Amino acid sequence: MEEPLVRPRPLTEEAAGLRAGVPELPDHVDRLCALVERVDPLIHAFVPEPGRYDRLRAQAREVAARYPEPDGRPPLYGVAVGVKDIVHVDGLPTHGGSALPPGVLAGPQAVVVDRLRAAGALVAGKTVTAEFAASAPGPTRNPHHPGHTPGGSSSGSAAAVAAGLVPLAIGTQTVGSVIRPAAYCGVVGFRPTYGRIPITGVIPNAPSFDTLGTFTADLAGAALVAPLLCDGWRPGRGDSPEPVLGVPDGTYLEHAEPAALRAFEEQLARLERAGFTVRRVELFPDFAGITRQLQAVNRFELARSHADWFARFGGLYRPETVAGIRAGQGVAAGDRAAALRFRERLGERVAAAGAAAGVDLWLAPSATGGAPEGLHSTGDAVMSLPWSFLGRPALSLPAGRTAEGLPLGLQVVGAPGGDERLLAQAARVERALAESRASRESRESRAGR
């Protein structure tokens, strides 16, 4: 029988077991490397790495020697983490999914990796990214349907968690590169408020938007790691009454495919039956204008971020990235500045609209639909676009499937800086949807007897 490619492992369970010594770290590394060797050739989530086993064994010995007693072990003791290949890790080269010569992109280890290692984590390896976290896809396949894209640009990170290679992976989002691949791969993606995790040590795409995020099997995993990575985490700030859920009606939602919208409406109906208040608000009447303003900033900053490398190695860049850089070279600095002023005004209007409607969380599809067939594209980031533009925290919860069995995601968006509350309130949404699904499955089972 063919081995299943989808078997995500809950981070909370794995972390608890490793802290207790079950399994011991040498056995854990043996199993991890055997799994990567067996499964990764089918999905290509990790950047190939000669000597991975020896490196991980050395890491494990160091961590075990530092924390010999279970009671003193940190939260991620021994947990294997995949790190997107635009994030610098000491001892591993950074290629950014590109053909640039080795060493050109080198830099000091990223702050986010420092924090992971301080929490006891092992870096399992670099995960595949679209070239420079833009749109030229890597070789990663969707574990649910290997003929379909896993999404981008954090493709390898999402696929590695979905396939159970690691229980935690790090990605980045400029527009939709955490939320969309999480939805396509059926895992939880968490994109904190812009700037909440320091971006130092990460190859830039568009610094006004670039945000580090996480992939885990479930929301409990995201809640475990967020306080370890985010600046100024405030325990207990998630306590609140049942959240009021807002739906941004209008041209924004019209970008979703019919199947995704049907699933979204079904989820809203289930949440209403569970006692949540759902309010529909016309939020982005000029969505095309928002898109133009974001693109002006994104393209300008992409061109500026790559000015030196592109001048020296432009012939090695892939056509999709070249097109984005060339477009950015044609954007005036004044147009970028005007777009950023527009963002400030938009943020004020969205905050005012949410306050007037009493909305605590905004809900939307995480992507336009299920993962597209083929590996030539990473899919459409449009459903994340306004929230990334505004720097709001967001997460994607697995929420149903298409008729073809492709995962769909529910996007849950909070207020800027309200990451603690977003995770706490989204847990109530996740629980209500799970209870509704279990109830429906029970009824169907009884009806089938």
Side-chain angles (χ1 to χ4, degrees), residues 79-415:
V79 169
V81 181
V83 179
K84 185 175 180 176
D85 190 27
I86 62 167
V87 180
H88 295 313
V89 177
D90 286 350
L92 291 174
T94 300
H95 297 287
S98 77
L100 269 63
V104 168
L105 304 173
Q109 179 163 281
V111 169
V112 69
V113 180
D114 292 340
R115 292 180 180 182
L116 287 166
R117 286 184 155 162
L122 309 178
V123 176
K126 290 294 195 75
T127 52
V128 171
T129 174
E131 186 180 52
F132 294 120
S135 58
T140 309
R141 296 174 173 271
N142 191 312
H144 292 264
H145 284 265
H148 291 244
T149 179
S153 60
S154 305
S155 48
S157 293
V161 171
L165 301 180
V166 290
L168 170 65
I170 300 300
T172 64
Q173 179 158 311
T174 302
V175 181
S177 299
V178 169
I179 298 300
R180 181 173 82 264
Y184 285 174
C185 292
V187 297
V188 170
F190 173 51
R191 175 210 183 275
T193 298
Y194 170 75
R196 195 78 194 264
I197 302 176
I199 206 77
T200 307
V202 179
I203 295 174
N205 180 313
S208 291
F209 306 138
D210 294 344
T211 304
L212 283 153
T214 62
F215 296 91
T216 53
D218 55 24
L219 195 54
L224 171 63
V225 75
L228 307 176
L229 303 184
C230 293
D231 282 342
W233 196 262
R234 298 156 294 184
R237 290 295 291 268
D239 297 335
S240 67
E242 203 76 86
V244 173
L245 310 177
V247 177
D249 272 343
T251 55
Y252 163 64
L253 282 185
E254 291 169 5
H255 286 83
E257 298 167 6
L261 285 176
R262 284 195 298 272
F264 179 55
E265 291 296 337
E266 290 172 5
Q267 291 148 16
L268 293 176
R270 291 174 191 163
L271 291 168
E272 286 185 303
R273 287 195 294 271
F276 287 87
T277 298
V278 176
R279 294 176 181 159
R280 298 175 185 269
V281 183
E282 180 74 23
L283 197 61
F284 303 120
D286 182 19
F287 191 74
I290 296 171
T291 301
R292 286 193 301 272
Q293 300 291 351
L294 175 138
Q295 289 175 345
V297 178
N298 196 348
R299 290 168 176 168
F300 178 93
E301 294 189 358
L302 177 66
R304 186 167 62 178
S305 295
H306 285 267
D308 178 60
W309 294 321
F310 190 67
R312 290 189 288 155
F313 305 106
L316 299 178
Y317 280 64
R318 293 174 62 184
E320 299 95 324
T321 315
V322 170
I325 290 172
R326 293 292 188 204
Q329 290 171 340
V331 177
D335 291 337
R336 170 184 175 268
L340 292 175
R341 290 194 297 272
F342 172 89
R343 177 173 69 171
E344 291 182 15
R345 297 192 299 272
L346 177 65
E348 293 168 357
R349 290 199 300 271
V350 170
V359 168
D360 298 298
L361 300 174
W362 295 101
L363 301 187
S366 297
T368 56
E373 188 171 5
L375 303 180
H376 58 282
S377 166
T378 61
D380 193 337
V382 68
M383 302 314 296
S384 291
L385 186 150
W387 314 115
S388 294
F389 190 40
L390 296 174
R392 283 179 169 247
L395 54 86
S396 180
L397 300 175
R401 291 177 177 267
T402 67
E404 298 76 28
L406 293 161
L408 295 169
L410 176 66
Q411 186 173 195
V412 187
V413 182

